[in-house]
Amino acid sequence: MTTKVASAEREVVLVEDAHLRPMMGLDVLEPLPSPNIPYEQVDPFILVHEGVVPITPEWASRDTKHPHRGFDNLWYLVAGAASTGHSTGPGGAMERARLETGSLLKLRTGRGVWHAEGIGEDEIREGKDGGEMRGVLFWVNLARKDKQVHPTAQVLRPQDIPTRSEGDAIVRTLVGEGSPVMLGTPGLVLDEELPKGGAFSTTVPSDFNGFVYLLEGDAEFGANRLHASRSQTAVLGAAGSALTVTDAPPRTRFMLMAGKPYGEAPIYNGPYVD
């Protein structure tokens, strides 16, 4: 079964492999940025990382805390559980968040914030070591006029994420209609899973840039039915307002990220985006 969307279908203009990047002592998958994907095609999304973090005493004791500013930093737990700290408390004090499978942590880094303090520290204190956490981290740009806003933190529990069945898919709306999480520009972030495989279509506003990142499995995407598989990114073309997914095997899962572009080129300064 496929949900019908009475809109012109978008094509996929590019399919690109993620590359491995060393990060905090781990090798993570980095779909974005990519030398083959122009920022203009994915604006306002700056960076996407997927990684697995061990929940061990050795890892929790590492000095992983580091600063950021100028964008929204979102961390989505695909599997496992983890705790972490960030300087969004009163007067810049560190406060901690406990995250489980399906949780979303959004940090508006604004004029500056420290984050990633003591990853897994709470679990180790409770004797829950030996596990691991798989997560997707993504940075979404802020307009230059908003880059000096006060930093804030927001945690969305799995039960707070709007979830629906659409065609053959289970769709979780991290950002978009029904979600309390707002970006600095209109946006859409969906976790879409096809447990039994199949097909479905979903609306993507015509004035949004967008792309798909494959967490599991493979499928054909867009009106031109380009094939993409695990850890690949499929970039949507500009024309049309619907994305169609077909020929997905069981347990295919991917994230759709889309947003209204700012049209402002980011200025990178290490962990800061001005």
Side-chain angles (χ1 to χ4, degrees):
M1 175 182 177
T2 303
T3 300
K4 302 296 183 181
V5 178
S7 304
E9 292 183 24
R10 286 191 168 192
E11 294 191 343
V12 167
V13 296
L14 177 66
V15 175
E16 180 73 12
D17 291 324
H19 56 275
L20 284 175
R21 175 176 177 174
M23 182 67 61
M24 297 193 303
L26 300 171
D27 285 334
V28 303
L29 288 165
E30 185 175 77
L32 291 180
S34 167
N36 297 320
I37 302 177
Y39 174 72
E40 293 76 15
Q41 290 185 324
V42 293
D43 176 5
F45 293 88
I46 298 169
L47 174 147
V48 179
H49 281 174
E50 181 194 349
V52 176
V53 178
I55 306 301
T56 63
E58 186 274 334
W59 181 261
S61 65
R62 290 189 184 188
D63 183 12
T64 53
K65 184 176 70 172
H66 56 278
H68 286 305
R69 74 166 182 250
F71 56 91
D72 285 333
N73 182 316
L74 294 97
W75 187 19
Y76 180 53
L77 264 65
V78 176
S83 54
T84 184
H86 32 266
S87 61
T88 53
M94 299 299 293
E95 57 182 2
R96 297 191 63 77
R98 298 289 298 264
L99 306 173
E100 58 188 305
T101 299
S103 293
L104 175 69
L105 169 64
K106 175 202 165 188
L107 295 178
R108 174 150 291 174
T109 65
R111 62 175 178 251
V113 69
W114 290 83
H115 88 129
E117 179 198 53
I119 298 175
E121 186 178 285
D122 296 24
E123 288 76 15
I124 299 304
R125 189 181 301 115
E126 296 170 358
K128 300 176 181 177
D129 62 315
E132 60 183 24
M133 177 279 298
R134 179 186 177 195
V136 177
L137 176 77
F138 44 105
W139 297 4
V140 189
N141 201 13
L142 289 171
R144 288 214 165 83
K145 66 180 180 60
D146 296 327
K147 288 186 180 288
Q148 293 300 311
V149 298
H150 183 76
T152 58
Q154 181 181 10
V155 175
L156 209 58
R157 305 295 177 193
Q159 60 269 26
D160 300 325
I161 294 177
T163 302
R164 68 184 189 276
S165 294
E166 187 171 332
D168 295 321
I170 298 170
V171 181
R172 302 174 182 91
T173 303
L174 281 61
V175 177
E177 185 176 357
S179 171
V181 175
M182 304 289 289
L183 304 176
T185 186
L188 181 68
V189 179
L190 305 178
D191 173 8
E192 303 180 298
E193 185 174 5
L194 290 91
K196 298 181 180 180
F200 87 109
S201 294
T202 192
T203 298
V204 180
S206 58
D207 58 346
F208 283 18
N209 285 334
F211 60 93
V212 167
Y213 176 66
L214 271 291
L215 295 170
E216 305 288 351
D218 63 287
E220 293 183 348
F221 294 88
N224 51 341
R225 296 171 65 95
L226 284 191
H227 182 265
S229 58
R230 172 73 178 100
S231 73
Q232 288 188 317
T233 299
V235 180
L236 306 186
S241 56
L243 171 65
T244 298
V245 182
T246 56
D247 293 341
R251 295 182 295 280
T252 292
R253 186 176 183 183
F254 58 91
M255 297 192 71
L256 169 64
M257 304 184 191
K260 188 172 183 178
Y262 290 112
E264 299 176 351
I267 300 172
Y268 299 105
N269 181 16
Y272 309 127
V273 181
D274 298 323

